[in-house]
Amino acid sequence: MMASKLLASACSLALNGQSHVLKTFGAFATQSRSLVTSIPVPGDGKPHAVTLIPGDGIGPEITQSVVDVVEALGAPIVWERFDGISGSTKDGKPNKMVPKEICESIRKNGVCLKGTLFTPLDKKNTDTQSLNVQLRKDLDLWVNLVHGFSIPGLTSLRYKDLDIVVVRENTEGEYSGLEHEAVEGVVESLKVITYDKSLRTAEYAFEFALLNNRKKVTAVHKANIMKQGDGMFLKATREVAKNFPKIKYEEMIVDNTCMQLVSKPEQFDVMVTPNLYGNLVSNVVAGLCGGFGVCPGGNVGDGVAIFEQGARHVAKELAGKGLANPTATLLSTSMMLRHIKMAKFGERLEEAVLKVYSDGDTSVLTPDVGGTGSQYTFTQAVIKNLGH
């Protein structure tokens, strides 16, 4: 699956193919026409409020690229911004509480675009509940989806036809944050796996596969060692797999999975994982597809979703240099637009981003993908493509 099919998310399958013109914030955006039109619900074209958290590191820069591109796109989006929110205090200590007004905004709007929040590891505070984790728990964003694929025209890739989706349980496992020092020098860290949360994650993965014409789901585990914990996860995935006989189901131990990903990645389609393994696997997938700058993702709960880079890197070393790659966040925005029933806007945005790569002009690409350009040149190239 290439081009416009690459980012079709289980979050939304609405296809808004009707040709019309929307006047938005002083700009006009003409939608292209498909042969069969959709019938929108009255009010679908009204402005949609979206919570925006620029985050730390390169977050404010790449989210500004999104704001500029969405304005050029003409999508009826109203940003509800929360600038200055950081994963750490001014003196470098971790922030552990998500401001109440942010959670209220996301619940009200139902959707958020977010840069990564940086939480330093403090010697006096090894609490695993970073602001990123806390936000997912506070809103019960129980599944994380990362889509890694080979971008046509990105010549630096070793593999040219990858299309892998990682569906990750997002709230428990090693991220439960239950640690204590039993006696001096001995720490116990609890990994919590529940049947219900494993079941809903597996159901999401198989439903995604069904709705997106995917053929195989691979459950990633370490049940050979953690027989009860990961065994519980496999029990749930096996139960769900019975209800989808047309989708091939397989299981793979996590260490073998990592080896297979870097040697024969084309064998994978949809992967479903517990929390920690999903973090590891999705970063490997992102690396295979060009790095954290190109891989989109999102976090979904009941009635709420947050979209962000699939590989959550704050990239503080790039902050302020104008060299960050906004591709991942732009493609995550395309996912978001589909999610809120603005599918045609999402398609146009995706096509405009991918055309920058297929055009082959390295002078507009960022250095991380072999270009000599900058964030600004890439963003302007996307905006130019929206006019085609």
Side-chain angles (χ1 to χ4, degrees):
M1 301 180 185
M2 303 303 289
S4 63
K5 292 184 179 180
L6 281 170
L7 291 173
S9 167
C11 302
S12 172
L13 293 178
L15 292 176
N16 185 13
Q18 189 173 11
S19 177
H20 57 284
V21 178
L22 289 175
K23 186 175 182 180
T24 312
F25 314 123
F28 285 86
T30 304
Q31 308 257 69
S32 60
R33 181 189 295 275
S34 59
L35 292 178
V36 179
T37 188
S38 67
I39 303 179
V41 174
D44 278 354
K46 292 182 179 179
H48 196 296
V50 174
T51 305
L52 177 62
I53 304 174
D56 293 313
I58 60 173
E61 299 167 61
I62 58 177
T63 53
Q64 186 58 50
S65 288
V66 170
V67 171
D68 294 342
V69 169
V70 169
E71 181 179 3
L73 181 64
I77 297 296
V78 178
W79 301 106
E80 195 167 302
R81 299 181 64 110
F82 288 88
D83 295 292
I85 301 300
S86 174
S88 59
T89 62
K90 292 182 179 179
D91 57 1
K93 295 181 179 180
N95 266 326
K96 295 195 295 179
M97 297 297 295
V98 178
K100 180 180 178 182
E101 59 269 24
I102 290 182
C103 289
E104 290 176 347
S105 171
I106 297 173
R107 289 191 182 100
K108 172 176 63 73
N109 297 331
V111 66
C112 171
L113 181 70
K114 170 182 167 293
T116 301
L117 296 166
F118 175 69
T119 301
L121 182 61
D122 187 270
K123 292 181 180 179
K124 296 181 180 180
N125 174 24
T126 56
D127 192 339
T128 59
Q129 303 305 294
S130 71
L131 232 58
N132 296 297
V133 173
Q134 196 61 50
L135 189 60
R136 298 196 290 272
K137 288 188 174 183
D138 287 351
L139 297 171
D140 194 22
L141 295 163
W142 49 268
V143 68
N144 171 244
L145 185 146
V146 175
H147 191 177
F149 54 88
S150 305
I151 296 180
L154 185 50
T155 58
S156 60
L157 299 182
R158 178 180 178 185
Y159 301 99
K160 304 301 181 183
D161 56 354
L162 299 186
D163 187 5
I164 304 171
V165 171
V166 181
V167 175
R168 165 191 175 188
E169 198 289 320
N170 215 21
T171 60
E172 57 176 12
E174 292 85 352
Y175 289 69
S176 299
L178 301 174
E179 294 184 303
H180 66 277
E181 190 170 18
V183 296
E184 186 176 355
V186 179
V187 172
E188 292 181 336
S189 180
L190 302 181
K191 171 180 177 175
V192 178
I193 298 285
T194 62
Y195 179 78
D196 287 345
K197 290 187 177 181
S198 298
L199 187 72
R200 67 183 184 178
T201 305
E203 288 174 341
Y204 188 94
F206 276 91
E207 288 175 6
F208 176 91
L210 175 68
L211 294 172
N212 289 278
N213 195 30
R214 298 282 183 156
K215 306 302 182 185
K216 183 171 71 172
V217 173
T218 302
V220 181
H221 69 94
K222 192 63 176 174
N224 58 322
I225 302 298
M226 286 167 277
K227 300 183 185 301
Q228 293 195 53
D230 285 17
M232 180 70 74
F233 179 80
L234 288 183
K235 178 182 178 182
T237 57
R238 290 167 182 169
E239 193 66 30
V240 174
K242 295 176 184 177
N243 300 323
F244 296 86
K246 294 184 178 181
I247 298 174
K248 182 180 179 181
Y249 171 67
E250 67 177 16
E251 298 168 0
M252 191 174 291
I253 295 173
V254 62
D255 37 338
N256 183 38
T257 300
C258 293
M259 181 181 69
Q260 294 295 325
L261 271 171
V262 298
S263 57
K264 299 178 181 178
E266 64 279 353
Q267 68 184 283
F268 295 103
D269 190 354
V270 176
M271 308 172 78
V272 59
T273 77
N275 205 339
L276 178 61
Y277 308 154
N279 186 21
L280 302 176
V281 167
S282 60
N283 275 271
V284 174
V285 170
L288 290 170
C289 297
F292 68 87
V294 301
C295 196
N299 310 276
V300 182
D302 296 324
V304 65
I306 292 180
F307 294 86
E308 59 183 344
Q309 291 181 161
R312 302 161 180 152
H313 288 265
V314 72
K316 293 184 72 175
E317 70 279 2
L318 290 177
K321 296 181 179 179
L323 299 177
N325 190 342
T327 298
T329 308
L330 287 168
L331 293 179
S332 298
T333 304
S334 175
M335 282 181 166
M336 182 193 76
L337 290 167
R338 287 176 165 93
H339 180 71
I340 58 176
K341 298 183 180 180
M342 296 184 186
K344 186 58 69 174
F345 285 112
E347 291 170 16
R348 287 181 57 219
L349 174 54
E350 176 190 336
E351 291 168 1
V353 171
L354 296 183
K355 189 176 185 301
V356 178
Y357 287 94
S358 62
D359 283 348
D361 183 0
T362 58
S363 70
V364 302
L365 299 179
T366 49
D368 61 307
V369 290
T372 58
S374 64
Q375 175 194 333
Y376 176 80
T377 59
F378 187 93
T379 303
Q380 292 304 306
V382 174
I383 291 173
K384 179 181 177 181
N385 288 341
L386 289 172
H388 289 174

